[in-house]
Each structure stands twice: as C-alpha cells, then as structure tokens.
Amino acid sequence: MSDAIKHECGIALIRLRKPYQYYIDKYGTALYGANKLYLLMEKQVNRGQDGAGIANIKLDVPAGHRYISRYRSVDQRPVTDIFEKVNKKFRKALKGNKDKAKDAKWLQENIAFTGEVWMGHLRYGTHGANEIENCHPMLRQSNWRSRNLVVAGNFNMTNVEELFDKLVSLGQHPKDKVDTVTVMEKIGHFLDEENQRVFERFKGIYENPVLSDIIEDNLDMQRVLHRSCRDFDGGYAMVGMTGYGAAFVARDPAGIRPAYYYADDEVVVVASEKPAIKTAFNVEYSAIQEVKPGHALIIDKYGEYAEQEFVKPIEKKSCSFERIYFSRATDPDIYNERKTLGKLLIPQILKEIDYDLENTVFSYIPNTAETAFFGMVEGLEDYLAKQRKKAIMDGILFEEELDRVLSFRPRIEKLVAKDVKLRTFIADDSQRDDMVSHVYDTTFEVIKKGKDNVVVVDDSIVRGTTLEKSILRMLDRLGPKKIIIVSSAPQIRFPDCYGIDMSKFKEFVGFRAALELLRERGLEELLDEVYGQCVSAIESGNASKQNYVKALFEPFTHEELSRKVAQIVTPPDLQAEVAVIYQTVENLHKACPNHSGDWYFTGNYPTPGGNNVVNKAFVNFMEGKLVRAY
C-alpha cells in the first residue's frame, strides 16, 4: 500500500540486420535505431528510474575511428536526458555538413551513435549509491575489437563472494565485490580465453590483420557463456555486445527474470517486457517470443541469430511479482492475470463484510492496483447475477423487491487520489506523518458515516508503514464503520535475493505479525531454535540445503496472520474497525499458472543460494544487523 518496492532493472537490445544506409533510405533518418531504442526504454521506465544508460557499436568502420559509444545518466529523467544528448551530437556534427545527413559512410566515420547494435538499460538500485558508476551498461575495453565487451542486466547473484573468489583464483584483481563487477569480469575473462583459443587454432594459417576477422568469425559465444555462467546462482536476464558486433541475451536456468524477443529481416529486438516491443515495432503479440530459461539468444556479427542452451534449465520459477506488480498491465496476459487475482478475492471479501453490499463502498490504492480492482468488480457482478437468478427462481412475490434485486449495483467510488504536486519536504518527525497523509486527496461525503464498510484493493502490502501512518487515518476521516484493506498478493514472509528490493526480515509486516503471535502464545523459544539451526548450517556450509525460517510461520493459519497484521497497522486512535485480507498462494497459482516463483510468500526458493540468503537474513535479524544477506 504505497510502500514502493524497487525492482532491479529493465533491458533493451536492437540489432539492425541490414546495412546502415538501408534504414536512412527507407525511414528517412539516420536516427532510426536511436528512436526505436528510446521507445523501448520509455515503455519500460516503470522498471527503473534511478538511472539509465545506452551503448552502441558500429560494424566495420575503418581503424582509427571510434566504434563504441556509451552514455549514462542519473538525471531526474535519465532516458530523456540521454537521448537529448544523442540528438544534440547529431545536430552539432551536421552543422555545416547538411549534405552528409543521409550518407551512412560519412555519418559512421564522424558521428557517435550511428552503429547497428544498440543496448539500453534502466536502473532501480537495490543497493549502491545513485551514481553514474553504478549505472549500466558496463564496458570492458581492449585494443582488440573482439575482446571489447559491453554488458547490462536485470540480475542479482546470491553467491557474489564465491564468484569473487573464483576471479581471484583465475589471477584477476576485481576492483569491487559486487555482482555487477563479478559478472562483467567473469564473462570478460572467458571471452579473452575464447579469443586466445581461436588465435592459437589459426595463427599459423592466417596473418594479421586477416587473422582478426577470422577470430571474430569463429568465436563461440555459447561456449563463453557456458564457462562464465555455469556457477552463477541468482536471477538474471543479461544482455551483452562484443566490440565486433556479436550480441547476446542470457536468461537464468529457472527463468526468474523476464526476457522477450522479436525478429524479422530488418531487426532483432530484445526487452524485459512484451508491450515495449509491441509498441516500438508495431508487431503482433504472437510474434514476440520468450527467451527460454537456461538459453541465450545469440546474434552473430552478420545478424544471424539462434537460441542456444548455455546452462542446464531447472524447474521454471518465473517471478510472480512481475505479474502482480512490476510489469505493465498493457500486456494482455498480465492484464487478465491481474483481473483474475481481483476476482478470486471475492469469497474472502464477502465474508468480511458479512455479505452487506448495500452498505459497502469499493475502491483501490494505488493506480497499479486498478486492474485487480476491475477483476474484483467483475467478481461482484458475477455474485450478484447468481443472487438475482436465485431470487427469481425462489419466486419473489413483490414487484418492488424484485426491482430492487434486479437494479442493485456495487457501490464503486474513487476515494483516494495522490496529489503529485505536494512534496513531503518537512523533516520534523512530529509533523512529517501528518504531511505524508495529505499527499493524498480524499473524496468526502460519499460514505455513510458509522454505517458503511470501505473495501480498498492494493496490489501488495509489504511493510505496512504507509498504511499505519497515513492511509488508514485518511480513510478514517471519511467516517466508515469498517475499513477492509485487500491485497491481491499473498502475505510477504521471506526476503527476495533475485533482484527485488525486499532483503531484510524486519521490513515485512507479515514477519512482524508472526513474531507477535509467537510471543502471545509462548512460543518464543522457536526463535532461538531456528536461530541456532541457521547459525549451525552457515558454519557447516549447509545453509543452502534448507530454509529453516519456514518453521516460524507453521504454527499459524493464513487468517491468523492477516488478523495480526490488521492489529499492527491500526493506529491506536482510529475510530473504524480494520481488517486485512490477503490473496492465498493457491489462488495466486490459479491466476498466474506460468509464473510459479512464489518464494516471497512460501519460502520455496528456486536456487540453493536462496536458502542460504534466507537463513543468513534471519541470523542478521536476530543479531540486530541491518545489512543485506547477499
């Protein structure tokens, strides 16, 4: 409920498959690739607003000319900032050279960002300062074209220390112990080795500079990725480009992070979300394919492409939060899934309001919950249709009563709207909470005071702090008898370690609810028991085998935890009764059958590193350490 969750990143890749002159002649602009990348990135800006970056590689420009270009930005509107700079470069270079505006050879030799291979990245930082150096794409340079590497990704590795140690054992000296550096350097190391392998194979047959072209034609990117990624533990969709124009997008073996692609005779394009490709290239959804888990879409220097397995796929556990919250609902599958999530909540809602629809108003906060709200309304209409049929079958005798049954509709109102112009700049804690509550405008005089229930749908409840400090107080001013907060996601009980900013137990109101129930029922010794198990497993190197923290939730039902959450988030001076309803895990799987990654709710992590992280995170909590466990 307005507790913003940050998601790691969005990726984009475009490979122009025809000569650069072709696009200038057909589309009348030398900025065809730049314009398409801008669209791909703007349509994924929901995935990252902390920073952005692009990179571009030119094919076959003569030696002595720059062939790799990169811009990154942490501006307030980073995507716009970057592409304004690209456009400015063009305008400046063409000043006095307008006759060259459609000359591909001149443009590529004189202006940056006129290449055939494009990469884009949007950053939501789950850790690290919001600085240029933390923005992708990352660049590993060499004077040999085939050894240059540009990488960007939507990823988080759980075994960074192990990967770091591996690099050190290979003789490297990494500048930082973070997954961005380790991933980049690991791929770069094996790209170097692949270059050397091919060089040794052909060095007695060809002489330079022909040998350089032979190396580029014979590099095996599938082999590079297999050797680089076989010991990665995490969720990732990585996109990379080499200096000679080959490119790839590699997806983790459980398919945790998303990646989609489209190809025709002009382009190969990759993005984190289907709607971005649909909008930018105006193609049918059926033509957009998902990169298979454990596979890489590899594009060679000539623009030929294929999906190739580079690590053994495991059981597919695509992230369910993508469907509930992060990805754009303009994807027809996601739209229908979110509506289904809302519809499946109807039995719980009806029970909580005691089936009193006449005195219940339905609404939603925030805007991302709108689609689930539509589904809930459809579910209410289905319920009412059954009630009307029953009334008619039962033979209602009075016309007035029949009219009332046939004409009744659910009461739907826009109760809350965010005032985006109001800034919460006050630092004084005593007044800040009150100021935060006024960031939202409420619709007054639509609630029958002391009589109506208010049902408000949200897509997820993570921390509960905004509920407690502002939303519930704001709704209470409307004068309802009861406020029911409904989450279309299940109870978040466990941290994420695959790219979503939910890493500490202390943050989860669901975990806080379990702690309070343990104390109330005299089960506090279970905390020490689980802590001991986690410490022992970590010390013995077995923490990746089992999630011991699950035991803390086992004594309680779904409903008991929901009731305790309601108590936790209810301010002491609130007049209305408060209830909290969460989606069930069973219904989540019904609504999103192809995205069964539910570790946030169940603790069933798809990789061994997940168990390692959850056990470490609990130890950190018990020891009062406010750090990430990975």
Side-chain angles (χ1 to χ4, degrees), residues 16 72-73 81 93 136 149 162 165 201 226 259 283 311 354 384 391 412 461 464 528 534 540 565 575 577-578 590 613:
L16 304 181
R72 295 178 292 176
S73 174
D81 179 51
H136 300 198
L149 178 66
E162 177 190 328
D165 292 343
R201 178 183 167 193
H226 171 69
V283 297
V311 288
D354 200 22
L384 287 170
I412 299 165
I461 303 170
D528 293 326
C534 291
S540 64
V565 168
Q575 298 299 307
E577 180 188 350
V578 174
K590 283 181 187 176
V613 166

Side-chain angles (χ1 to χ4, degrees), residues 80-81 87 161 217 285 412 583:
T80 300
D81 179 51
N87 275 277
E161 290 195 10
D217 286 341
Y285 271 103
I412 299 165
Q583 185 67 266

Side-chain angles (χ1 to χ4, degrees), residues 256-271:
I256 295 170
R257 300 267 69 90
Y260 299 92
Y261 73 97
Y262 164 77
D264 59 25
D265 61 343
E266 291 187 357
V267 296
V268 180
V269 54
V270 178

Side-chain angles (χ1 to χ4, degrees), residues 55-58 66-70 139 148-150 242-243:
N56 179 241
I57 288 178
K58 302 173 187 176
R66 183 179 293 274
Y67 58 93
I68 301 178
S69 305
R70 177 178 63 157
L139 177 59
N148 281 283
L149 178 66
V150 191
T242 60

Side-chain angles (χ1 to χ4, degrees), residues 396-414:
I396 291 177
L397 299 176
F398 300 104
E399 185 177 335
E400 183 180 332
E401 178 69 7
L402 184 59
D403 285 343
R404 189 188 71 80
V405 169
L406 293 175
S407 63
F408 183 81
R409 292 289 181 273
R411 295 169 62 195
I412 299 165
E413 303 288 353
K414 179 77 171 177

Side-chain angles (χ1 to χ4, degrees), residues 501-524:
D501 186 19
M502 299 190 302
S503 58
K504 305 178 190 76
F505 272 110
K506 186 181 177 182
E507 299 173 342
F508 308 138
V509 69
F511 179 71
R512 288 161 56 199
L515 289 182
E516 290 203 14
L517 288 171
L518 286 168
R519 292 184 183 115
E520 286 176 7
R521 299 186 187 182
L523 298 172
E524 289 173 281

Side-chain angles (χ1 to χ4, degrees), residues 461-469 472-473 506-520 560-572 574 578-580 582:
I461 303 170
V462 184
R463 301 170 185 90
T465 49
T466 311
L467 267 178
E468 180 181 359
K469 292 182 180 296
L472 286 172
R473 292 181 186 277
K506 186 181 177 182
E507 299 173 342
F508 308 138
V509 69
F511 179 71
R512 288 161 56 199
L515 289 182
E516 290 203 14
L517 288 171
L518 286 168
R519 292 184 183 115
E520 286 176 7
E560 286 172 333
L561 283 161
S562 296
R563 285 196 293 271
K564 182 52 67 177
V565 168
Q567 291 175 23
I568 290 171
V569 300
T570 302
L574 209 74
V578 174
V580 173
Y582 282 97

